[in-house]
Amino acid sequence: MALPEILIDLHKIKQNVQAVLSLAKPYGTEVVGVTKSFLGEPEIAGAMLAGGINMLADARLANVKKLRQAFPQITLMLLRLPALSQAAETIACADISLNSEFRILQALSREAIKQGKQHRVILMVDLGDLREGILPDDLFALVEKTLKLDGLILEGIGTNFACYGGVIPTTENLSELAGLAEKVEQACGYRFAVISGGNSANLPLLFNGELALRINQLRIGEGIVLGRETVTRRVLPGAVPDAFVLRAEVLECQVKPTQPKGLIGQDAFGQTHQFCDEGLRRRGILAVGRQDVPPEGLILRDSRLKIFGASSDHLILDLTEAPELGVGSVVEFDLRYSGLLGAMTSPYVKKRVKLA
Ligand SMILES: *Cc1c(COP(=O)(O)O)cnc(C)c1O
């Protein structure tokens, strides 16, 4: 047994896919499965496909390549804007990319012609979250120019909320996207096949019955991997939050004070802490630290335990209320998105798929 490990339950991922698909079904909205939180690992992506997903998307070309090798027939989307220096690889591996820069669209066009391919593009519009996308007023001109590029198929437009600014997708701002699409469609005499509404922050609109018409695609990562929408992080109906569980071992368990002794300066990460004196507690030191997972991303599965803090290689827990736990015990955590991303990316965390 090599700990820490992240235990991955493919059945639960499949269950979450089905929960998301049944939310989207009444709207006829296509769900694209986002694989970036698990580095595009084909075994896990395969569970998304088994659950009924038909298109996969990842932010990194390296992951898209991995997916391409494993699933030659599946439609793949590159989520992060393609880099000018990676136009050739983008055309080679991805069927669809999200774009906002004309120079890059020109480069993709040249490459698509060179490779004898038709590459599908979605133009991203920034409706206020201030990450990627052109401003609404500039969309018409970009559409006109893009339509003239050979080798590219303008599939439609898209947006992204709740990433940088934390702007919540609502009926209002998504109707703005749909309205903008219709205005530009009329002006250009071209119909967009896809209006890609966003990420897991859109899921509450589905269960509130509020998704704007014409939004016919959502790109869903967290809703599938952690079974939650991302506005208030509620678990979706029919989904489970524990498809990924982190497990770590207790190295030391001793009764100690809660108030450090001596002059308090900065910790290993330049932070100064306030300590609350809770008297003597049974403190467990686990063999998992910030180099494995950010402690903010961990959720204790046992509600009797509490996290005191973490350093590079250690996590310190209050085990007082769980007297059966001691040296050698294994403690389990559910993960928030930051925890999942950190643990999946850390080379120190073993990834183990749970056998049925
Ligand atoms: C990561 C990402 C998503 C998926 O976000 P979740 O909140 O995990 O659903 C969707 N679209 C883009 C452009 C992304 O980068």
Side-chain angles (χ1 to χ4, degrees):
M1 184 166 66
L3 296 180
E5 68 172 6
I6 192 160
L7 190 57
I8 305 158
D9 187 328
L10 300 180
H11 290 284
K12 289 185 175 171
I13 291 168
K14 198 170 144 192
Q15 177 183 346
N16 289 353
V17 166
Q18 286 162 348
V20 171
L21 288 178
S22 60
L23 280 173
K25 198 169 177 203
Y27 301 87
T29 300
E30 171 181 41
V31 177
V32 178
V34 173
T35 60
K36 65 192 186 200
S37 64
F38 53 85
L39 289 63
E41 276 310 320
E43 201 176 2
I44 307 173
M48 284 187 166
L49 297 174
I53 292 281
N54 296 317
M55 193 196 303
L56 298 172
D58 204 289
R60 313 226 168 207
L61 268 177
N63 297 349
V64 174
K65 266 186 208 166
K66 246 193 277 185
L67 292 167
R68 176 51 75 222
Q69 284 187 344
F71 309 108
Q73 307 301 332
I74 295 292
T75 307
L76 299 179
M77 175 190 278
L78 178 65
L79 286 173
R80 188 163 68 181
L81 304 172
L84 197 52
S85 58
Q86 290 184 320
E89 282 171 279
T90 302
I91 297 295
C93 314
D95 301 293
I96 307 179
S97 59
L98 308 182
N99 286 275
S100 63
E101 289 283 352
F102 187 62
R103 265 190 79 190
I104 298 197
L105 288 158
Q106 285 176 305
L108 293 175
S109 163
R110 278 193 298 272
E111 268 303 325
I113 295 166
K114 205 159 124 192
Q115 296 183 29
K117 291 199 170 168
Q118 292 283 316
H119 182 77
R120 292 146 69 181
V121 294
I122 291 178
L123 301 182
M124 295 300 275
V125 184
D126 187 339
L127 290 172
D129 198 54
L130 298 183
R131 204 178 70 179
E132 73 271 49
I134 54 161
L135 293 174
D137 285 348
D138 301 328
L139 179 64
F140 172 70
L142 185 62
V143 167
E144 288 254 280
K145 289 195 286 182
T146 304
L147 284 172
K148 297 199 179 90
L149 295 175
D150 288 330
L152 300 187
I153 297 170
L154 177 56
E155 180 133 300
I157 65 174
T159 196
N160 203 49
F161 286 111
C163 270
Y164 170 75
V167 175
I168 299 172
T170 58
T171 314
E172 287 72 38
N173 53 28
L174 285 175
S175 299
E176 191 187 334
L177 182 70
L180 179 66
E182 275 155 26
K183 210 174 80 188
V184 172
E185 280 177 333
Q186 268 173 13
C188 301
Y190 183 82
R191 185 164 166 91
F192 299 134
V194 171
I195 301 187
S196 193
N199 54 34
S200 298
N202 293 64
L203 294 171
L205 295 172
L206 295 178
F207 47 79
N208 297 336
E210 289 172 350
L211 191 72
L213 285 171
R214 292 262 357 232
I215 306 295
N216 58 3
Q217 182 184 83
L218 294 175
R219 311 174 304 269
I220 304 296
E222 184 164 346
I224 296 172
V225 289
L226 298 179
R228 296 178 190 272
E229 49 86 5
T230 56
V231 177
T232 62
R233 299 255 157 23
R234 268 174 303 176
V235 175
L236 301 169
V240 288
D242 59 350
F244 295 81
V245 171
L246 184 88
R247 306 175 74 242
E249 185 174 339
V250 179
L251 300 174
E252 175 188 301
C253 180
Q254 298 190 13
V255 176
K256 295 185 190 180
T258 30
Q259 180 76 39
K261 189 170 138 217
L263 224 51
I264 306 294
Q266 295 184 348
D267 72 3
F269 292 88
Q271 306 291 315
T272 311
H273 298 276
Q274 300 288 325
F275 295 92
C276 158
D277 192 352
E278 299 167 67
L280 292 174
R281 306 293 290 179
R282 266 181 90 237
R283 299 165 70 92
I285 302 184
L286 272 64
V288 65
R290 290 185 184 272
Q291 234 176 344
D292 308 279
V293 64
E296 306 74 33
L298 296 173
I299 304 168
L300 280 158
R301 283 166 72 85
D302 185 337
S303 61
R304 298 172 302 165
L305 314 184
K306 225 186 78 190
I307 296 178
F308 280 132
S311 59
S312 314
D313 309 299
H314 301 102
L315 181 72
I316 307 170
L317 296 187
D318 187 344
L319 301 181
T320 313
E321 306 303 325
E324 77 282 12
L325 296 181
V327 170
S329 298
V330 173
V331 178
E332 295 189 339
F333 303 85
D334 286 343
L335 296 163
R336 298 194 174 86
Y337 196 71
S338 63
L340 178 65
L341 212 58
M344 287 304 294
T345 311
S346 172
Y348 300 110
V349 179
K350 185 180 177 226
K351 286 81 187 173
R352 181 161 69 93
V353 170
K354 189 175 170 182
L355 300 170

